[in-house]
Every structure is written in C-alpha cells, then in structure tokens.
Amino acid sequence: MASEEERFPIIVRADHIPGPKQGAWTYNHYAALSNHRQRYEIIDGVLYMVPSPCGIHQRISVRIGYYFFLHIEERGFGIIYPAPFDVELGPHTVVQPDMIVQMHNNNKVSVPSHMIGPPDLVVEILEPHTVEHDRGRKYNAYARGGVREYWIVDPLAQSVEIYALETSIYHLLGVFRGEDFLPSWVIKDFTVRVEQLFI
C-alpha cells in the first residue's frame, strides 16, 4: 500500500508531519525532517509537500540552466543553482525554486548549507499541480522576500512571463513566446529566444 506521501501527486499541506503547528515552521524544523526523499517547502510557516517534477519539466530546466550558465557563470557575473536547493527568504519561508541566479554583486545573500536571503532571479516551471502554488503562494513569497526578477515558464503555452520587482511589488514585463527575446533586468545582454527553451 502506498504511503500517505506517495499518494499525493499535488502540492498539499503536510499537516500529518510531526513538528510545530502549521504556521510556525522554520528552516531549523525543516532541516530536521527525516524523510529526505520527499520535497518540502515552507511558506508563511506552513509546511507543504511538493511532488517530484516530470520529465518535460526537467528537460526545460536543463535548457534554462545551460543558457544561464553561458550568460552568467561563463561571463563571471554570478552563480546559478538548479533545484533542489533551499532558499530561506525569511524566518518562516523556505523554498526550492526550479532555478536560482545569484549575481556576484548581491551582498544580501549568504550561502552556507543553503541560501539565506533573496537571490536576484528565480525561475519556476509550471506543471498542472504547481500552478496555484507558483502563481500564488510562491509569487507572493518571492515579492515579500525581495527577489528582483521572477520567471514563470509555461510548457503548455510555451511561454515565459517575466516579473520585475519595484517597490516590493512585481510588475509584469511581458509574456514572451516563440522568437521573442527574453528581456531580463538581471542578466545583461541575454540573447536567448523563448523557442530555444522548448525545442
């Protein structure tokens, strides 16, 4: 018989996990969890169980990582971290973005065992079970946490939405498709077309 954790192909509150009451979870509680095969995130102190991504998601993630590597690390501008890598945005918010960009001039971040503070750019690749989480809870958490740029990649629509943070509020720079170039505020001279992420 499948365990409770194996039966959820969606993001759910992990109310059954022993620990503090929901709303009071912190990174220290999270780091002490014994099931390291299960992915978890904490938003506003609430622990969520997050399923593993699908194959298409992972192929897109590899392509994004490749282009980020060429335009960021190869040029000496910063470092990229693919998931799973923990980002502690605040005392009660720990997330694992699909892709993380930390520019070298970002002095708000430290990276001991995990990233503490806001990265410069995060990417989330939508799946049917993550849409509400990525467009709602995580969107708000990234804005509150001070993440300068947020990309939402939609494999079904083959589009990329880019949000830029101004005065603690995200503003949509646009929804980009096909031959559109991706106009990042964080990555200078990013000469990549949307279609290159989905081929």
Side-chain angles (χ1 to χ4, degrees):
M1 182 175 183
S3 71
E4 187 168 359
E5 292 172 356
E6 294 168 333
R7 289 197 310 264
F8 288 107
I10 58 172
I11 296 171
V12 295
R13 287 170 54 115
D15 294 336
H16 65 286
I17 301 295
K21 66 179 182 177
Q22 288 287 37
W25 282 83
T26 67
Y27 180 79
N28 289 336
H29 299 120
Y30 167 91
L33 290 170
S34 60
N35 185 355
H36 297 291
R37 292 177 302 156
Q38 174 63 51
R39 292 179 62 203
Y40 297 99
E41 293 184 319
I42 302 169
I43 297 180
D44 297 328
V46 176
L47 183 70
Y48 294 92
M49 292 171 42
V50 181
S52 297
C54 71
I56 292 171
H57 176 290
Q58 293 300 79
R59 291 181 64 197
I60 293 170
S61 180
V62 167
R63 288 182 175 278
I64 293 169
Y66 169 75
Y67 291 114
F68 278 7
F69 182 81
L70 291 180
H71 287 83
I72 299 168
E73 293 209 17
E74 282 287 294
R75 295 179 177 178
F77 294 153
I79 303 170
I80 62 169
Y81 298 91
F85 190 72
D86 296 332
V87 177
E88 186 177 358
L89 291 173
H92 297 284
T93 299
V94 181
V95 290
Q96 290 186 355
D98 292 324
M99 194 67 64
I100 302 160
V101 174
Q102 177 195 355
M103 303 305 274
H104 286 316
N105 61 2
N106 183 347
N107 57 10
K108 298 179 184 176
V109 169
S110 63
V111 186
S113 61
H114 64 288
M115 184 175 289
I116 302 172
D120 294 283
L121 187 156
V122 297
V123 178
E124 295 291 355
I125 302 166
L126 297 180
E127 293 194 48
H129 61 268
T130 69
V131 172
E132 179 183 343
H133 196 62
D134 293 340
R135 290 190 181 281
R137 297 179 201 105
K138 290 180 94 170
Y139 175 98
N140 293 326
Y142 292 146
R144 283 195 311 268
V147 177
R148 291 170 49 204
E149 194 167 298
Y150 180 27
W151 291 20
I152 297 178
V153 178
D154 187 336
L156 292 177
Q158 295 203 343
S159 66
V160 179
E161 299 166 31
I162 299 181
Y163 297 88
L165 194 67
E166 293 183 282
T167 60
S168 301
I169 297 171
Y170 277 132
H171 298 277
L172 180 65
L173 297 183
V175 179
F176 304 95
R177 295 180 176 84
E179 296 183 357
D180 294 341
F181 286 104
L182 292 161
S184 174
W185 284 12
V186 169
I187 311 168
K188 301 303 179 194
D189 302 317
F190 191 65
T191 55
V192 175
R193 297 180 189 273
V194 175
E195 63 188 3
Q196 292 174 265
L197 306 182
F198 298 106
I199 292 174

